[in-house]
Amino acid sequence: MKRFLAVVSSILLLQLSGCATSPPQQPDNICAIFEEHDDWYDAAVDTQEKWGVPVHVPLAMMYQESGFRHNAAPPMEYFLGFIPTGRASDAYGYAQAKNMTWDDYVKETGNSWSSRSDFDDAMDFMGWYIYKTHKINGVSKWDAKNQYLNYHEGWGGYKRGSYKAKAWLIPVANKVDQRARRYAAQYGQCKDDLDSSWW
């Protein structure tokens, strides 16, 4: 019986690991991303309709945060170069959401079965965050640069201008903005085709 249960457990683990979606092969092209992962387009459109967030902005932010890896996490830190002391942050998943912020999202939306390693949930989380950034700090949902600075620093940190003391962060936010603009231009070329196949 024990051997049978061990075999069943192994099969289930293999099936679960097989369910994980691999990052898109062409992450620099939003059309190719959605053609490869058509269910991601469903999630992006749902997020747009629910939170009023343009498709290209959360996607550009997600690329920066996780490279579209479902299990992305900050690197492990080591004491004396070899003794693991934990990770720099509890951020995790597609959106690199921290525990506390994710918990706030769950409380406000009631999405209690959500998972940071699920693309649909991560997109909904980012839509919620971008929507709240607009409400709290008045940043346009189309302003990828300042949306990303809010996402990185938190609403209070952005309001205090904490990003101004981080010389490395502004170029990163500019990269997110450039990617969002590129995604937006690409999306304009394939939106009709995506929509026709979506239905």
Side-chain angles (χ1 to χ4, degrees):
M1 184 65 176
K2 285 182 180 177
R3 186 171 178 178
F4 172 75
L5 289 174
V7 170
V8 170
S9 297
S10 298
I11 291 169
L12 287 173
L13 282 172
L14 282 170
Q15 286 179 335
L16 285 172
S17 63
C19 290
T21 305
S22 58
Q25 294 179 10
Q26 298 180 59
D28 292 324
N29 188 315
I30 197 172
C31 300
I33 291 171
F34 289 144
E35 284 165 10
E36 183 179 350
H37 298 302
D38 56 349
D39 55 325
W40 286 16
Y41 187 56
D42 296 351
V45 171
D46 287 346
T47 297
Q48 182 179 46
E49 291 176 351
K50 182 175 180 181
W51 301 109
V53 173
V55 165
H56 57 277
V57 172
L59 214 68
M61 290 167 59
M62 186 180 285
Y63 175 88
Q64 182 61 44
E65 289 297 282
S66 69
F68 300 121
R69 288 174 292 119
H70 75 281
N71 59 351
M76 186 69 73
E77 294 188 334
Y78 296 89
F79 176 66
L80 299 177
F82 65 94
I83 302 170
T85 57
R87 300 188 186 277
S89 160
D90 59 18
Y92 181 75
Y94 284 112
Q96 284 297 278
K98 294 181 179 178
N99 290 347
M100 191 168 70
T101 315
W102 188 267
D103 289 345
D104 289 343
Y105 157 74
V106 169
K107 284 176 195 168
E108 288 193 18
T109 62
N111 194 6
S112 55
W113 295 102
S114 59
S115 167
R116 289 180 286 179
S117 60
D118 181 273
F119 185 86
D120 292 32
D121 293 333
M123 277 295 287
D124 191 64
F125 168 81
M126 296 187 92
W128 168 82
Y129 201 97
I130 291 168
Y131 169 82
K132 292 210 49 158
T133 294
H134 175 63
K135 283 189 72 176
I136 293 168
N137 283 333
V139 176
S140 167
K141 298 171 190 175
W142 279 259
D143 182 351
K145 177 181 178 179
N146 287 294
Q147 281 286 346
Y148 182 75
L149 290 173
N150 272 270
Y151 198 76
H152 194 277
E153 297 297 284
W155 299 307
Y158 179 84
K159 200 171 282 188
R160 293 190 302 273
S162 60
Y163 57 90
K164 295 173 184 173
K166 300 177 180 178
W168 59 270
L169 183 54
I170 301 298
V172 174
N174 285 332
K175 274 175 60 179
V176 172
D177 185 60
Q178 289 162 12
R179 179 171 295 275
R181 290 173 190 272
R182 188 162 63 250
Y183 278 171
Q186 292 166 346
Y187 184 50
Q189 300 297 314
C190 64
K191 182 181 184 302
D192 289 344
D193 289 339
L194 288 167
D195 287 340
S196 63
S197 61
W198 190 55
W199 297 107

Coordinates of all heavy atoms in Angstrom, one line a residue, residues 106-171:
V106 N -6.2 40.5 -1.5 CA -7.2 39.4 -1.2 C -8.3 39.9 -0.4 O -9.5 39.6 -0.6 CB -6.5 38.2 -0.5 CG1 -7.5 37.2 0.0 CG2 -5.5 37.5 -1.5
K107 N -8.0 40.7 0.7 CA -9.0 41.3 1.6 C -10.0 42.2 0.8 O -11.2 42.1 1.0 CB -8.4 42.0 2.7 CG -7.8 41.2 3.8 CD -7.1 42.0 4.8 CE -6.2 41.2 5.7 NZ -5.3 42.0 6.6
E108 N -9.4 43.0 -0.1 CA -10.2 44.0 -0.8 C -11.0 43.4 -1.9 O -12.1 43.9 -2.2 CB -9.3 45.1 -1.3 CG -8.8 46.0 -0.2 CD -8.2 47.3 -0.8 OE1 -8.5 47.7 -2.0 OE2 -7.5 48.0 -0.1
T109 N -10.5 42.4 -2.5 CA -11.2 41.8 -3.7 C -12.0 40.5 -3.4 O -12.8 40.1 -4.2 CB -10.2 41.5 -4.8 OG1 -9.3 40.5 -4.4 CG2 -9.4 42.7 -5.3
G110 N -11.7 39.9 -2.3 CA -12.3 38.7 -1.9 C -11.8 37.5 -2.7 O -12.4 36.4 -2.7
N111 N -10.7 37.7 -3.4 CA -10.1 36.6 -4.2 C -9.3 35.6 -3.4 O -8.1 35.5 -3.6 CB -9.3 37.2 -5.4 CG -9.0 36.2 -6.5 OD1 -9.4 35.1 -6.5 ND2 -8.1 36.6 -7.4
S112 N -9.9 35.0 -2.5 CA -9.2 34.2 -1.4 C -8.5 32.9 -2.0 O -7.6 32.4 -1.3 CB -10.2 33.8 -0.3 OG -11.3 33.1 -0.8
W113 N -8.9 32.5 -3.1 CA -8.3 31.3 -3.7 C -7.2 31.6 -4.7 O -6.7 30.8 -5.4 CB -9.3 30.4 -4.3 CG -10.3 29.8 -3.4 CD1 -11.6 30.2 -3.1 CD2 -10.1 28.7 -2.4 NE1 -12.2 29.5 -2.1 CE2 -11.3 28.6 -1.7 CE3 -9.0 27.9 -2.1 CZ2 -11.4 27.6 -0.7 CZ3 -9.1 26.9 -1.2 CH2 -10.3 26.8 -0.4
S114 N -6.8 32.9 -4.7 CA -5.8 33.3 -5.7 C -4.4 32.8 -5.3 O -4.1 32.5 -4.2 CB -5.8 34.9 -5.7 OG -5.5 35.4 -4.5
S115 N -3.6 32.8 -6.3 CA -2.2 32.3 -6.2 C -1.2 33.3 -6.9 O -1.5 33.6 -8.1 CB -2.0 30.9 -6.7 OG -0.7 30.6 -6.8
R116 N -0.1 33.6 -6.3 CA 0.9 34.5 -7.0 C 1.5 33.8 -8.2 O 2.2 34.4 -9.0 CB 1.9 35.0 -6.0 CG 1.3 36.0 -5.0 CD 2.4 36.4 -4.0 NE 2.7 35.4 -3.0 CZ 3.5 35.6 -2.0 NH1 4.2 36.7 -1.9 NH2 3.7 34.6 -1.1
S117 N 1.5 32.5 -8.2 CA 2.1 31.7 -9.3 C 1.1 31.4 -10.4 O 1.4 30.7 -11.4 CB 2.7 30.4 -8.8 OG 1.7 29.6 -8.2
D118 N -0.1 32.0 -10.3 CA -1.1 31.8 -11.4 C -1.2 33.1 -12.2 O -1.4 34.2 -11.6 CB -2.5 31.6 -10.7 CG -3.6 31.4 -11.8 OD1 -4.2 32.4 -12.2 OD2 -3.8 30.2 -12.2
F119 N -1.0 33.0 -13.5 CA -1.0 34.3 -14.3 C -2.2 35.1 -14.2 O -2.2 36.3 -14.1 CB -0.7 33.9 -15.8 CG -0.5 35.1 -16.7 CD1 0.7 35.7 -16.8 CD2 -1.6 35.7 -17.4 CE1 0.9 36.8 -17.6 CE2 -1.4 36.8 -18.2 CZ -0.2 37.3 -18.3
D120 N -3.4 34.5 -14.3 CA -4.7 35.2 -14.2 C -4.7 36.0 -12.9 O -5.1 37.2 -12.9 CB -5.9 34.3 -14.3 CG -6.0 33.6 -15.6 OD1 -5.0 33.3 -16.3 OD2 -7.1 33.3 -16.0
D121 N -4.4 35.4 -11.8 CA -4.4 36.1 -10.5 C -3.4 37.2 -10.4 O -3.6 38.3 -9.9 CB -4.2 35.1 -9.4 CG -5.4 34.1 -9.2 OD1 -6.5 34.4 -9.6 OD2 -5.1 33.0 -8.7
A122 N -2.2 36.9 -11.0 CA -1.1 38.0 -11.0 C -1.6 39.2 -11.8 O -1.3 40.3 -11.4 CB 0.2 37.4 -11.5
M123 N -2.2 38.9 -12.9 CA -2.7 40.1 -13.8 C -3.7 40.9 -13.0 O -3.7 42.1 -13.1 CB -3.2 39.6 -15.1 CG -2.1 39.3 -16.1 SD -1.3 40.8 -16.7 CE -2.5 41.6 -17.6
D124 N -4.7 40.1 -12.4 CA -5.7 40.8 -11.6 C -5.1 41.7 -10.5 O -5.5 42.8 -10.3 CB -6.7 39.8 -11.1 CG -8.0 40.5 -10.6 OD1 -8.7 41.1 -11.4 OD2 -8.2 40.4 -9.3
F125 N -4.1 41.1 -9.8 CA -3.4 41.8 -8.7 C -2.8 43.1 -9.3 O -2.9 44.2 -8.7 CB -2.4 40.9 -8.1 CG -1.4 41.7 -7.2 CD1 -1.8 42.0 -5.9 CD2 -0.2 42.1 -7.7 CE1 -0.9 42.7 -5.1 CE2 0.7 42.8 -6.8 CZ 0.3 43.1 -5.5
M126 N -2.1 43.0 -10.4 CA -1.4 44.2 -11.0 C -2.5 45.2 -11.5 O -2.2 46.4 -11.3 CB -0.5 43.8 -12.1 CG 0.6 42.9 -11.7 SD 1.9 42.6 -12.9 CE 3.0 43.9 -12.6
G127 N -3.6 44.7 -12.0 CA -4.7 45.7 -12.4 C -5.2 46.4 -11.2 O -5.4 47.6 -11.2
W128 N -5.4 45.7 -10.1 CA -5.8 46.3 -8.8 C -4.8 47.3 -8.3 O -5.2 48.4 -7.9 CB -6.0 45.2 -7.8 CG -6.2 45.6 -6.3 CD1 -7.3 46.0 -5.8 CD2 -5.2 45.7 -5.3 NE1 -7.1 46.3 -4.4 CE2 -5.8 46.1 -4.1 CE3 -3.8 45.3 -5.3 CZ2 -5.1 46.3 -2.9 CZ3 -3.1 45.5 -4.1 CH2 -3.7 45.9 -3.0
Y129 N -3.5 47.0 -8.4 CA -2.5 47.9 -7.9 C -2.4 49.1 -8.7 O -2.3 50.3 -8.2 CB -1.1 47.2 -7.8 CG -0.2 47.9 -6.9 CD1 0.0 47.4 -5.6 CD2 0.5 49.0 -7.3 CE1 0.9 48.0 -4.7 CE2 1.4 49.6 -6.4 CZ 1.6 49.1 -5.1 OH 2.4 49.8 -4.3
I130 N -2.5 49.0 -10.0 CA -2.4 50.1 -10.9 C -3.6 51.0 -10.7 O -3.5 52.3 -10.7 CB -2.3 49.7 -12.4 CG1 -0.9 49.0 -12.6 CG2 -2.5 50.8 -13.4 CD1 -0.8 48.2 -13.9
Y131 N -4.8 50.4 -10.6 CA -6.0 51.2 -10.3 C -5.9 52.0 -9.0 O -6.3 53.2 -9.0 CB -7.2 50.2 -10.2 CG -8.5 50.7 -9.7 CD1 -9.4 51.4 -10.5 CD2 -8.8 50.6 -8.4 CE1 -10.5 51.9 -10.0 CE2 -10.0 51.1 -7.9 CZ -10.9 51.8 -8.7 OH -12.1 52.3 -8.2
K132 N -5.4 51.3 -8.0 CA -5.2 52.0 -6.7 C -4.2 53.1 -6.7 O -4.3 54.2 -6.1 CB -4.9 51.0 -5.6 CG -6.1 50.1 -5.3 CD -6.1 49.6 -3.9 CE -6.0 50.6 -2.8 NZ -6.6 50.2 -1.6
T133 N -3.1 52.9 -7.5 CA -2.1 53.9 -7.7 C -2.7 55.2 -8.3 O -2.4 56.3 -7.9 CB -0.9 53.4 -8.6 OG1 -0.3 52.3 -7.9 CG2 0.1 54.5 -8.9
H134 N -3.6 55.0 -9.3 CA -4.3 56.1 -9.9 C -5.1 56.8 -8.9 O -5.2 58.1 -8.8 CB -5.1 55.6 -11.1 CG -6.0 56.6 -11.7 ND1 -5.4 57.7 -12.3 CD2 -7.3 56.8 -11.8 CE1 -6.4 58.5 -12.8 NE2 -7.6 58.0 -12.4
K135 N -5.9 56.1 -8.0 CA -6.7 56.7 -7.0 C -5.9 57.4 -5.9 O -6.3 58.5 -5.5 CB -7.6 55.6 -6.4 CG -8.8 55.2 -7.3 CD -9.8 54.3 -6.5 CE -10.5 55.1 -5.5 NZ -11.5 54.3 -4.7
I136 N -4.9 56.8 -5.5 CA -4.1 57.3 -4.3 C -3.2 58.4 -4.7 O -3.1 59.4 -4.0 CB -3.4 56.1 -3.6 CG1 -4.4 55.1 -3.0 CG2 -2.4 56.7 -2.5 CD1 -3.7 53.8 -2.5
N137 N -2.4 58.2 -5.8 CA -1.4 59.2 -6.1 C -1.6 59.9 -7.4 O -0.8 60.7 -7.9 CB 0.0 58.5 -6.2 CG 0.6 58.2 -4.8 OD1 0.3 59.0 -3.8 ND2 1.4 57.2 -4.6
G138 N -2.8 59.6 -8.0 CA -3.2 60.4 -9.2 C -2.3 60.1 -10.5 O -2.3 60.9 -11.4
V139 N -1.7 58.9 -10.5 CA -0.8 58.6 -11.6 C -1.7 57.9 -12.7 O -2.5 57.0 -12.4 CB 0.3 57.6 -11.2 CG1 1.1 57.2 -12.4 CG2 1.2 58.3 -10.2
S140 N -1.6 58.4 -13.9 CA -2.4 57.8 -15.0 C -2.1 56.3 -15.2 O -1.0 55.8 -15.0 CB -2.0 58.5 -16.3 OG -2.5 57.8 -17.4
K141 N -3.2 55.5 -15.5 CA -3.0 54.1 -15.7 C -2.1 53.8 -16.9 O -1.7 52.7 -17.1 CB -4.4 53.4 -15.8 CG -5.2 53.6 -14.6 CD -6.6 53.1 -14.9 CE -7.6 53.4 -13.7 NZ -9.0 53.1 -14.1
W142 N -1.9 54.8 -17.8 CA -1.1 54.6 -19.0 C 0.3 55.1 -18.8 O 1.1 54.9 -19.7 CB -1.8 55.4 -20.1 CG -2.9 54.8 -20.8 CD1 -2.9 54.1 -22.0 CD2 -4.2 54.6 -20.3 NE1 -4.1 53.6 -22.3 CE2 -5.0 53.9 -21.3 CE3 -4.9 55.1 -19.2 CZ2 -6.3 53.6 -21.1 CZ3 -6.3 54.8 -19.0 CH2 -6.9 54.1 -20.0
D143 N 0.6 55.6 -17.6 CA 2.0 56.1 -17.3 C 2.8 55.0 -16.7 O 2.9 54.9 -15.5 CB 1.9 57.3 -16.3 CG 3.2 57.9 -16.0 OD1 4.2 57.4 -16.4 OD2 3.2 59.0 -15.3
A144 N 3.4 54.2 -17.6 CA 4.1 53.0 -17.1 C 5.3 53.3 -16.2 O 5.5 52.6 -15.2 CB 4.6 52.2 -18.3
K145 N 6.0 54.4 -16.5 CA 7.2 54.8 -15.7 C 6.8 55.0 -14.2 O 7.3 54.4 -13.3 CB 7.8 56.0 -16.3 CG 9.0 56.5 -15.4 CD 9.7 57.7 -16.0 CE 10.8 58.2 -15.1 NZ 11.5 59.4 -15.7
N146 N 5.8 55.9 -14.0 CA 5.4 56.3 -12.6 C 4.6 55.2 -12.0 O 4.6 55.1 -10.7 CB 4.8 57.7 -12.6 CG 5.8 58.8 -12.8 OD1 6.7 59.0 -12.0 ND2 5.7 59.4 -14.0
Q147 N 3.8 54.4 -12.8 CA 3.2 53.3 -12.2 C 4.2 52.3 -11.6 O 4.0 51.8 -10.6 CB 2.3 52.6 -13.3 CG 1.0 53.3 -13.5 CD 0.0 53.1 -12.4 OE1 0.1 52.3 -11.5 NE2 -1.1 53.9 -12.4
Y148 N 5.3 52.1 -12.4 CA 6.3 51.1 -11.9 C 7.0 51.7 -10.7 O 7.3 50.9 -9.7 CB 7.3 50.9 -13.0 CG 8.3 49.9 -12.6 CD1 8.0 48.5 -12.5 CD2 9.6 50.3 -12.2 CE1 8.9 47.6 -12.0 CE2 10.5 49.3 -11.7 CZ 10.2 48.0 -11.6 OH 11.1 47.1 -11.2
L149 N 7.2 53.0 -10.6 CA 7.9 53.5 -9.4 C 7.0 53.4 -8.2 O 7.4 53.1 -7.1 CB 8.2 55.0 -9.6 CG 9.3 55.3 -10.6 CD1 9.4 56.8 -10.9 CD2 10.7 54.8 -10.1
N150 N 5.7 53.5 -8.4 CA 4.7 53.2 -7.3 C 4.8 51.7 -6.9 O 4.7 51.4 -5.7 CB 3.3 53.6 -7.7 CG 2.9 55.0 -7.4 OD1 2.4 55.4 -6.4 ND2 3.2 55.9 -8.4
Y151 N 4.8 50.9 -7.9 CA 4.8 49.5 -7.7 C 6.0 49.0 -6.9 O 6.0 48.2 -6.0 CB 4.8 48.7 -9.0 CG 4.4 47.3 -9.0 CD1 3.0 47.0 -8.8 CD2 5.3 46.3 -9.1 CE1 2.6 45.6 -8.7 CE2 4.9 45.0 -9.1 CZ 3.6 44.6 -8.9 OH 3.2 43.3 -8.8
H152 N 7.2 49.7 -7.2 CA 8.4 49.3 -6.6 C 8.6 49.9 -5.2 O 9.0 49.2 -4.2 CB 9.6 49.8 -7.4 CG 10.9 49.2 -7.1 ND1 11.7 49.7 -6.0 CD2 11.6 48.1 -7.5 CE1 12.8 49.0 -5.9 NE2 12.7 48.0 -6.8
E153 N 8.2 51.2 -5.0 CA 8.4 51.9 -3.8 C 7.2 51.9 -2.8 O 7.3 52.2 -1.7 CB 8.8 53.3 -4.1 CG 10.0 53.5 -4.8 CD 11.2 53.0 -4.1 OE1 11.7 53.7 -3.1 OE2 11.7 51.9 -4.4
G154 N 6.0 51.4 -3.3 CA 4.8 51.5 -2.5 C 4.2 52.9 -2.7 O 4.9 53.9 -3.1
W155 N 2.9 53.1 -2.3 CA 2.3 54.4 -2.5 C 2.9 55.5 -1.6 O 3.1 56.6 -2.1 CB 0.8 54.2 -2.3 CG 0.1 53.2 -3.2 CD1 0.2 53.3 -4.6 CD2 -0.6 52.1 -2.9 NE1 -0.5 52.2 -5.1 CE2 -1.0 51.4 -4.1 CE3 -1.0 51.5 -1.7 CZ2 -1.8 50.3 -4.1 CZ3 -1.8 50.3 -1.7 CH2 -2.2 49.7 -2.9
G156 N 3.1 55.1 -0.4 CA 3.7 56.1 0.5 C 5.1 56.5 0.1 O 5.5 57.7 0.2
G157 N 5.9 55.5 -0.3 CA 7.3 55.8 -0.7 C 7.3 56.7 -1.9 O 8.1 57.6 -2.0
Y158 N 6.4 56.4 -2.9 CA 6.4 57.2 -4.1 C 6.0 58.7 -3.7 O 6.6 59.6 -4.2 CB 5.4 56.7 -5.1 CG 5.2 57.5 -6.3 CD1 6.1 57.4 -7.4 CD2 4.2 58.5 -6.4 CE1 6.0 58.1 -8.5 CE2 4.1 59.3 -7.6 CZ 5.0 59.1 -8.6 OH 4.8 59.9 -9.7
K159 N 5.0 58.8 -2.8 CA 4.6 60.1 -2.4 C 5.7 60.9 -1.7 O 5.8 62.1 -1.9 CB 3.4 60.0 -1.4 CG 2.5 61.2 -1.3 CD 1.3 60.9 -0.5 CE 0.2 60.2 -1.3 NZ -1.1 60.1 -0.6
R160 N 6.5 60.2 -1.0 CA 7.7 60.8 -0.3 C 8.9 61.0 -1.2 O 9.8 61.7 -0.9 CB 8.2 60.0 0.9 CG 7.2 59.9 2.0 CD 7.8 59.2 3.3 NE 8.3 57.9 3.0 CZ 7.6 56.8 3.0 NH1 6.3 56.8 3.4 NH2 8.1 55.6 2.8
G161 N 8.8 60.4 -2.4 CA 9.9 60.6 -3.4 C 11.1 59.7 -3.1 O 12.2 60.1 -3.4
S162 N 10.9 58.6 -2.4 CA 12.0 57.7 -2.0 C 12.8 57.2 -3.2 O 14.0 57.0 -3.1 CB 11.4 56.5 -1.3 OG 10.5 55.7 -2.1
Y163 N 12.2 57.1 -4.4 CA 12.9 56.7 -5.6 C 14.0 57.7 -6.0 O 14.9 57.3 -6.7 CB 11.9 56.5 -6.7 CG 11.1 57.7 -7.1 CD1 11.6 58.6 -8.0 CD2 9.9 57.9 -6.5 CE1 10.8 59.7 -8.4 CE2 9.1 59.1 -6.8 CZ 9.6 60.0 -7.7 OH 8.9 61.1 -8.0
K164 N 13.9 58.9 -5.6 CA 14.9 59.9 -6.0 C 16.3 59.6 -5.4 O 17.3 60.1 -5.9 CB 14.4 61.3 -5.6 CG 13.2 61.8 -6.3 CD 12.6 63.1 -5.8 CE 11.3 63.5 -6.4 NZ 10.7 64.6 -5.8
A165 N 16.3 58.9 -4.3 CA 17.6 58.5 -3.7 C 18.2 57.2 -4.2 O 19.2 56.8 -3.8 CB 17.4 58.4 -2.1
K166 N 17.5 56.6 -5.2 CA 17.9 55.4 -5.8 C 18.3 55.6 -7.2 O 17.4 55.5 -8.1 CB 16.9 54.3 -5.6 CG 16.5 54.0 -4.2 CD 15.4 53.0 -4.1 CE 15.0 52.7 -2.6 NZ 13.9 51.8 -2.5
A167 N 19.6 56.0 -7.5 CA 20.0 56.3 -8.8 C 19.8 55.2 -9.8 O 19.5 55.5 -11.0 CB 21.5 56.7 -8.8
W168 N 19.8 54.0 -9.4 CA 19.6 52.8 -10.3 C 18.2 52.6 -10.7 O 17.9 52.0 -11.8 CB 20.1 51.6 -9.7 CG 19.4 51.2 -8.4 CD1 19.8 51.7 -7.1 CD2 18.2 50.5 -8.2 NE1 18.9 51.2 -6.2 CE2 17.9 50.5 -6.8 CE3 17.4 49.8 -9.1 CZ2 16.8 49.8 -6.3 CZ3 16.3 49.2 -8.6 CH2 16.0 49.2 -7.2
L169 N 17.2 53.1 -9.9 CA 15.8 52.8 -10.2 C 15.2 53.5 -11.3 O 14.4 53.0 -12.1 CB 15.0 53.0 -8.9 CG 13.5 52.7 -8.9 CD1 13.3 51.2 -9.3 CD2 12.9 52.9 -7.5
I170 N 15.6 54.8 -11.5 CA 15.0 55.6 -12.6 C 15.2 55.0 -14.0 O 14.3 54.9 -14.8 CB 15.4 57.1 -12.5 CG1 15.1 57.7 -11.2 CG2 14.9 57.9 -13.7 CD1 13.6 57.8 -10.9
P171 N 16.5 54.6 -14.3 CA 16.7 53.9 -15.5 C 15.9 52.6 -15.7 O 15.4 52.3 -16.8 CB 18.2 53.6 -15.5 CG 18.8 54.6 -14.6 CD 17.7 54.8 -13.5

